[in-house]
Amino acid sequence: MADRKLIRNFGIIAHIDHGKSTLADRLLERTGSISKREMREQFLDDMDLEREMGITIKANRATVKHTHDGQEYMLNLIDTPGHVDFHYEVSRAMAACEGVLLLVDATQGVQAQTVANAYLAVEGNVEIVLVINKIDLPGANPDETALEVEHILGLAAEEAIYTSAKTGEGLDELLTAIVQQVPSPGGDENSPLRALVYDAKSDPHRGVICNVRLVDGVVKRGDKIRMMAVGSEHVVTEVGKYMPKATAVADLAAGEVGYLVAGIKTLADVNIGDTITHASRPAETALPGYEAPNQMVFCDFYPGPGTDTAELREAMEELWVNDCSFTYDPATSDALGIGFRCGFLGLLHMKIIQERLERESDVNVVQTAPTVTYEIAMNDGSVKQIQSPSEMPDPSKIMEIREPFCTANIIVPAEYIGAVMSLSLERRGVHKKTEYLSPARVMLTYEFPLGEIIYDYYDKLKSCTRGYGTVDYEITDFRGGKLVKMDILVNAIAVDALSVIVHADKAARRGRALISRLKKEISRHMFEIPLQAAIGAKVIARETIKAFRKNVTAKCYGGDVSRKRKLLEKQKEGKKRMKQVGSVEIPQEAFMSILEPEDG
Amino acid sequence: MGVGLYVHIPFCETKCGYCDFYSLAMKDRPTKPLVGAIVRELTQRRAATDEEVETIFVGGGTPTLLPVDGLKRLVDGIGAFIGGAVLKEFTVEANPASVDTEKIGVLRAGGVDRISMGAQSWHQAELTALERLHNPGDIVEGVRLCRAHDIGRINLDLIFGIIGQTMASWMDSLDRTIDLGVEHISCYALTYEPGTRLTALRDAGRLKPCDESLETEMYLAAIERLAKAGYEQYEISSFAQPGQRCMHNIVYWRNGSYVAVGPSAAGFVGGERYRNVPDLAEYVRRMDRDGTAEIERERITGATLAGETLMMGLRLNEGVELARLGIPAGAPLSPAVDRRIRLHGDGGLLEHHGDYLRLTPRGRLVGDAIISDLFAALHEGVAE
Ligand SMILES: Nc1nc2c(ncn2[C@@H]2O[C@H](COP(=O)(O)OP(=O)(O)OP(=O)(O)O)[C@@H](O)[C@H]2O)c(=O)[nH]1
Ligand code: SF4
Ligand SMILES: [Mg+2]
């Protein structure tokens, strides 16, 4: 059993791309956990998509050994994702740590997710070790960066450790700081077992592997355990640690981090955040656990060409079992058939899930425009939440429509304040405060309707700040607003999958943009096709797709038969990609095209 | 029904910008090897089929660019192919500037009774836009020569929708063609075929195609004008005086059988389609070496056959025999096809006429869309 005083549990947190995974590489390497031969960049990012995109999507953990002052320490590190969609992974990691390394890129300075993640660490009541990274780069300003952090987060600049996760410079100091500054875990190995399930994954051969942090007690192979929330009991077949490869050990004791296999068949049988205890000597109270991740955007997935609903369902179930960060419920659309309403943590998360579905199960997905959750206060006093415009009740019965609001921190060089302010005003943002991180950089705090910021605000911010602006947001509450459901009519038929909820003042503009995009997607027919955007019975934007007057091949003789027939066969295949709405054929791409950012 | 014979001569003076036929600028290319190979293919194919040939069409390209002795060898070869059969029609394609007295004489002596000439337009600017080398005077002269050699049936091709063409100039071209008293007139909308220079220019934004409305008006005006002058429309682009329809082309549109020879030529014999290699040198080489230049052969049955019959048949004003759209032919129509026919019928685009299904005048304007729609319906529920 390891001596708890020689254990350090810490997370690595930072803004996206500030070098967390690369620093983890260096720690693995320096401690001899993996050989040079096995090494590859961002070693812990083991998902294909993570490697392709160069970002971390899921938190990863590893245990490494480090000798300091003649003592061998066991360091449990958790590499976390930086992207805003995956904040919940960071907050979960906090519950398994006594400390964090807060990394800040010395060429970029403090960014929005630096602040957000630091707050999570403060909330989690863990020790923060400030690390200024990428000092090898020519544009690095480590001192200034450290001062910025001191200014905005109150962490002492002189205690910052300067590193290069690329060259390994500063790593010895960092290891010393981890040993000296991160507290050893508390807990009591003699108390009844309490192990927090902070993550779980499914293995085709061994069933579910629970990643656990031991708070009290000891667990070993052969123990009969109980999941306190679920109530199920299992016999432990293996306990181990990620070294970084999964390696079986004799036991796991209070303070340690590792994994546990216990013949659990599917992830549906495990609650992330549940507490594991012994069946024979159960703990009295469970650990606080986690709140389920909060889905912020919703859209529908329908079966695309060559896929049917049953196949899509199977694919969704399979993926969900491995990654329950999204939700899905049955949904139907007149235009698109039977599919699923899905909830996501953000737009990146939505794209990742769609990509994984298509990749891992070989299905085709047609997706509708994402929307946030709206709260509808009815005249009869009841309140309901809707996740799709099609669920909107009859307007005459509605007292008020409320939309989610968030607080957003935007960090930009001072010269772009004006640009950010006008962008934010356009997005119905309310300015709350401006703080200078340094004379040259500011953090603006705004309140926004979530729906104004979640889709393309970040892109717009990047383009109006030459790539320097970053933003982070957190949902605060629901507030009533002048919101309306806008329907899109194609040849006088409202297409449910194209409806959107918009702010009344912006409806006309949004409607025009939507319709002109639709006009490009739908090809001409034998008849004229009016396209309209309407709120109730009131048409607020319209366009017409002209009928073709003449569409007939001038010449077709014996030599043309095969070629023309093949052309018809191709058209026939193309028609399969069309959704028939009334007598109009709408290509499936049209349903996606309304996702594209406005103004081109 | 007897079969047709098509012979492809892939030579032209220069290559026109809108043309997607397999043809080459002639320059100083030797013609002998080609004629020799074609005569060989004719012999070969004769041995393989015993069908009676009733119609012949020699096209290209510009067959009349062949030298006199080449033409003579060609018509002799064709004569041997048909043996003693009684022909209903023997057409050769020509360009107004490429005919001369001697060549017409050789053709007439070889049994040719119909000449089809690419007049295209009576306006120099339009001919230049099309990159055609002849001038309006050549058209008159070409027709005169044919008549002088007792060619009783003449077709002139005209093109509308040319860049810069006006309704007035189009009507003028039509009138002057009618005035010549030719038996048959074909009116083609200028088509932007993939891979042509014209299409590349359009796609690069360097020329602006004729407005669709104007083109439609031109087409409708032609139908009306030609009807008044006694030319009946019997196909999308074909107009003839009574009894003067092109029987060879009707074989195509009724999805009948035809033998085809020459580079790139495509035939349909005994229920199989084949195609020859679309390369002059390669064609000659293969005919010499292998005795065949076919690069594709496919048996056409089921929905594919019905689809082709539909695609070709609806081009004719008479339409397509409904029974032939069953799978197999004669079987009742599938509910999907029935439904689409009814839908377009209700829309006034299709109509029944006896045992035939045909496009209405309004339907004819959007024939491709209707054909595409019915074609897809034909394949619904058919195992592939
Ligand atoms: N020059 C230099 N490049 C670095 C350093 N640390 C990281 N990088 C590079 O910065 C990029 C991002 O590094 P990652 O380690 O993937 O960053 P991350 O913080 O894990 O990013 P997310 O997981 O997406 O939040 C990669 O191209 C690294 O090679 C450093 O100290 N110096
Ligand atoms: S003359 Fe006829 S076949 Fe020859 S290039 Fe011109 S259009 Fe094509
Ligand atoms: Mg990473």
Side-chain angles (χ1 to χ4, degrees), chain A residues 45-276:
Chain A
D45 289 343
D46 51 3
M47 221 187 288
D48 284 349
L49 218 53
E50 288 181 319
R51 301 204 66 78
E52 273 167 41
M53 299 170 77
I55 63 166
T56 305
I57 296 170
K58 272 190 84 72
N60 284 302
R61 80 290 317 151
T63 300
V64 301
K65 292 195 174 120
H66 171 61
T67 306
H68 179 82
D69 274 350
Q71 297 265 39
E72 188 177 81
Y73 287 80
M74 195 163 68
L75 311 183
N76 296 311
L77 70 86
I78 303 181
D79 176 23
T80 64
H83 194 276
V84 55
D85 285 7
F86 306 112
H87 272 351
Y88 81 102
E89 291 268 337
V90 180
S91 33
R92 285 181 172 191
M94 292 305 113
C97 292
E98 281 75 44
V100 291
L101 311 185
L102 174 65
L103 247 64
V104 188
D105 183 329
T107 66
Q108 309 249 302
V110 171
Q111 296 295 343
Q113 273 79 46
T114 313
V115 177
N117 286 325
Y119 287 163
L120 289 176
V122 171
E123 266 167 45
N125 205 15
V126 301
E127 186 67 30
I128 300 176
V129 177
L130 175 59
V131 182
I132 309 297
N133 189 35
K134 303 202 189 181
I135 56 167
D136 60 298
L137 287 175
N141 271 320
D143 296 346
E144 258 174 51
T145 303
L147 281 173
E148 270 187 13
V149 181
E150 178 172 294
H151 189 87
I152 200 86
L153 296 168
L155 300 171
E158 71 259 23
E159 282 171 27
I161 293 165
Y162 292 0
T163 62
S164 163
K166 191 161 186 198
T167 66
E169 195 183 337
L171 225 69
D172 292 333
E173 292 91 316
L174 180 62
L175 282 161
T176 303
I178 292 168
V179 169
Q180 293 181 346
Q181 293 179 37
V182 175
S184 57
D188 179 359
E189 51 255 28
N190 298 313
S191 297
L193 174 66
R194 289 203 297 174
L196 174 71
V197 182
Y198 69 86
D199 195 7
K201 65 179 181 210
S202 180
D203 180 283
H205 307 295
R206 301 194 292 170
V208 174
I209 300 174
C210 296
N211 292 329
V212 291
R213 155 79 199 257
L214 276 271
V215 174
D216 288 314
V218 181
V219 67
K220 57 185 188 311
R221 192 186 156 152
D223 287 0
K224 190 160 186 202
I225 52 161
R226 178 183 301 160
M227 301 287 197
M228 292 184 75
V230 178
S232 60
E233 296 190 354
H234 308 271
V235 175
V236 177
T237 55
E238 182 180 323
V239 295
K241 293 179 182 170
Y242 295 102
M243 309 285 300
K245 291 217 166 60
T247 309
V249 297
D251 56 37
L252 290 174
E256 290 189 287
V257 177
Y259 66 87
L260 177 155
V261 186
I264 304 168
K265 291 213 181 54
T266 77
L267 280 175
D269 303 329
V270 179
N271 265 4
I272 308 292
D274 203 350
T275 301
I276 292 177

Side-chain angles (χ1 to χ4, degrees), chain A residues 272-559:
Chain A
I272 308 292
D274 203 350
T275 301
I276 292 177
T277 191
H278 279 127
S280 55
R281 190 180 163 228
E284 271 176 25
T285 51
L287 298 162
Y290 294 127
E291 279 171 41
N294 210 347
Q295 277 73 33
M296 300 224 214
V297 283
F298 294 82
C299 76
D300 292 358
F301 282 180
Y302 290 97
T307 300
D308 60 35
T309 304
E311 287 167 326
L312 182 59
R313 171 177 295 112
E314 203 172 301
M316 308 257 330
E317 280 166 359
E318 213 163 282
L319 181 60
W320 192 83
V321 158
N322 276 292
D323 182 352
C324 48
S325 56
F326 70 100
T327 59
Y328 67 100
D329 295 294
T332 55
S333 150
D334 296 339
L336 297 171
I338 300 176
F340 301 93
R341 172 132 325 125
C342 306
F344 304 100
L345 305 166
L347 238 50
L348 176 68
H349 185 228
M350 175 180 90
K351 283 181 191 134
I352 286 170
I353 296 293
Q354 193 211 337
E355 177 80 29
R356 287 187 64 188
L357 269 180
E358 298 202 325
R359 236 185 235 223
E360 292 167 24
S361 297
D362 200 21
V363 293
N364 260 315
V365 174
V366 176
Q367 184 195 318
T368 59
T371 177
V372 297
T373 297
Y374 292 92
E375 221 174 66
I376 317 287
M378 308 292 286
N379 288 332
D380 65 7
S382 64
V383 174
K384 61 189 259 178
Q385 293 213 331
I386 62 166
Q387 267 118 27
S388 160
S390 62
E391 293 169 331
M392 185 76 106
D394 180 346
S396 65
K397 299 194 175 129
I398 297 177
M399 192 177 72
E400 187 181 50
I401 303 175
R402 301 179 190 135
E403 59 183 331
F405 265 69
C406 62
T407 298
N409 286 328
I410 302 153
I411 295 182
V412 288
E415 66 215 86
Y416 299 115
I417 291 180
V420 173
M421 289 198 156
S422 59
L423 170 65
S424 303
L425 189 67
E426 190 192 299
R427 298 305 176 100
R428 297 193 280 137
V430 178
H431 178 244
K432 287 288 160 188
K433 65 178 181 211
T434 302
E435 274 174 280
Y436 276 81
L437 284 80
S438 69
R441 297 187 346 115
V442 290
M443 180 161 91
L444 301 163
T445 304
Y446 269 88
E447 284 178 357
F448 281 109
L450 182 66
E452 293 284 350
I453 188 168
I454 208 162
Y455 309 123
D456 64 343
Y457 182 88
Y458 187 48
D459 293 337
K460 289 275 187 297
L461 177 68
K462 283 261 162 205
S463 67
C464 78
T465 60
R466 299 167 143 257
Y468 287 117
T470 55
V471 58
D472 193 275
Y473 50 84
E474 201 182 6
I475 295 193
T476 51
D477 54 353
F478 279 82
R479 299 183 196 170
K482 281 200 304 182
L483 297 164
V484 288
K485 177 181 171 207
M486 180 166 74
D487 293 317
I488 303 295
L489 289 81
V490 175
N491 206 18
I493 298 174
V495 182
D496 55 0
L498 293 174
S499 295
V500 285
I501 293 171
V502 289
H503 192 265
D505 295 348
K506 295 181 151 196
R509 212 185 97 195
R510 186 83 196 278
R512 277 195 300 274
L514 265 174
I515 278 181
S516 74
R517 229 167 293 144
L518 208 53
K519 188 176 175 182
K520 286 186 200 130
E521 294 287 345
I522 300 176
S523 45
R524 292 199 291 164
H525 282 52
M526 279 179 271
F527 44 88
E528 203 172 83
I529 306 170
L531 301 175
Q532 296 162 313
I535 294 168
K538 188 172 162 236
V539 173
I540 55 169
R542 74 174 82 229
E543 290 239 24
T544 305
I545 300 175
K546 282 207 190 121
F548 39 59
R549 281 204 66 191
K550 182 165 163 293
N551 173 27
V552 62
T553 304
K555 285 189 182 191
C556 190
Y557 297 110

Side-chain angles (χ1 to χ4, degrees), chain A residues 524 526 548-559 561-563 565 568-569 571-572 575, chain B residues 188 212 215 217 237 252-253 258 273 275 298 300 304 308 311 315 365-368 372 379 384:
Chain A
R524 292 199 291 164
M526 279 179 271
F548 39 59
R549 281 204 66 191
K550 182 165 163 293
N551 173 27
V552 62
T553 304
K555 285 189 182 191
C556 190
Y557 297 110
V561 180
S562 297
R563 189 164 55 95
R565 189 244 301 158
L568 289 174
E569 278 165 0
Q571 289 170 3
K572 169 179 68 106
K575 284 180 207 290
Chain B
Y188 300 115
E212 188 184 286
E215 190 187 295
E217 294 307 326
S237 304
Y252 297 143
W253 294 320
Y258 49 95
R273 291 200 182 278
R275 176 179 296 278
E298 185 187 5
I300 307 294
T304 308
E308 290 183 354
M311 165 183 101
R315 298 189 63 84
L365 289 175
V366 292
D368 281 5
S372 176
H379 285 75
E384 284 167 47

